[in-house]
Amino acid sequence: NGTTSKYTVTVTVSSSNAKDITAFDMPGQSSRSIDGTDITVIMPFNTVVTALVPTITHTGASITPASGVAQNFTNPVTYTVTAADTSKKDYTVTVKVAPSDAKDITKFTILGKDGTISGTDIAVTVPYETNVMEFVPTIEITGKSVSPKSDVAQNFTKPVTYTVTAADTSTKE
């Protein structure tokens, strides 16, 4: 038959459905983890979390709230990534502030006499012929706890080592 048919072929590329957060960073952060759609950022002790500015890397077409915009992270914040195909994925971002690493003895008192603190050495001068077997020191610290405890009798015939534990569980003798 000698007839030919013409066909018109139209190729349409579907829009991407990619919508993942691949990085979520804040200036000064101590660490960050992404676990599925849960993101946890740890900030250093004493960080004020009411106006933190994240830098967000994602595979979607857009993200709300936007990267580079200050947010109040007192409570978790939901970020929504929208893909080119308009599908969406929500991420929950939680910011935690690391506990303090402070662990110093700031005052050490025996018999009403304040000790002289020099680095990790403390010297206390008591009256001549004082019995050093049963002193009860009063200790002030910047950490969470001290061992042996303040207001507990100690034998000071030899130096006594006190260990201060910070809120972050680090220690200093």
Side-chain angles (χ1 to χ4, degrees):
N1 249 336
T3 61
T4 59
S5 298
K6 291 185 178 182
Y7 292 88
T8 302
V9 177
T10 304
V11 176
T12 304
V13 177
S14 62
S15 298
S16 172
N17 66 353
K19 52 189 172 284
D20 294 315
I21 291 179
T22 56
F24 194 100
D25 299 300
M26 289 196 222
Q29 74 187 29
S30 300
S31 67
R32 178 241 319 138
S33 65
I34 299 175
D35 183 14
T37 59
D38 293 321
I39 300 172
T40 303
V41 178
I42 307 296
M43 298 300 291
F45 176 70
N46 271 346
T47 299
V48 176
V49 300
T50 55
L52 297 175
V53 181
T55 300
I56 309 164
T57 305
H58 61 89
T59 60
S62 65
I63 187 165
T64 305
S67 177
V69 175
Q71 294 296 319
N72 181 345
F73 286 95
T74 302
N75 296 305
V77 175
T78 300
Y79 281 81
T80 302
V81 182
T82 303
D85 71 356
T86 71
S87 61
K88 298 176 185 294
K89 185 189 266 187
D90 289 339
Y91 285 81
T92 302
V93 179
T94 303
V95 173
K96 297 179 180 178
V97 177
S100 173
D101 64 353
K103 51 190 170 283
D104 290 309
I105 293 177
T106 56
K107 188 173 183 183
F108 193 95
T109 307
I110 294 176
L111 298 174
K113 306 283 185 191
D114 289 341
T116 302
I117 301 172
S118 178
T120 57
D121 294 325
I122 302 172
V124 182
T125 302
V126 295
Y128 181 72
E129 293 189 9
T130 302
N131 180 0
V132 296
M133 302 277 288
E134 289 291 320
F135 281 147
V136 179
T138 300
I139 307 165
E140 294 178 15
I141 62 171
T142 60
K144 183 178 178 182
S145 66
V146 62
S147 178
K149 294 180 186 269
S150 179
D151 300 319
V152 174
Q154 296 297 318
N155 179 340
F156 284 93
T157 55
K158 294 181 181 174
V160 176
T161 299
Y162 284 82
T163 302
V164 180
T165 301
D168 73 354
T169 72
S170 61
T171 61
K172 183 177 190 178
E173 291 187 348

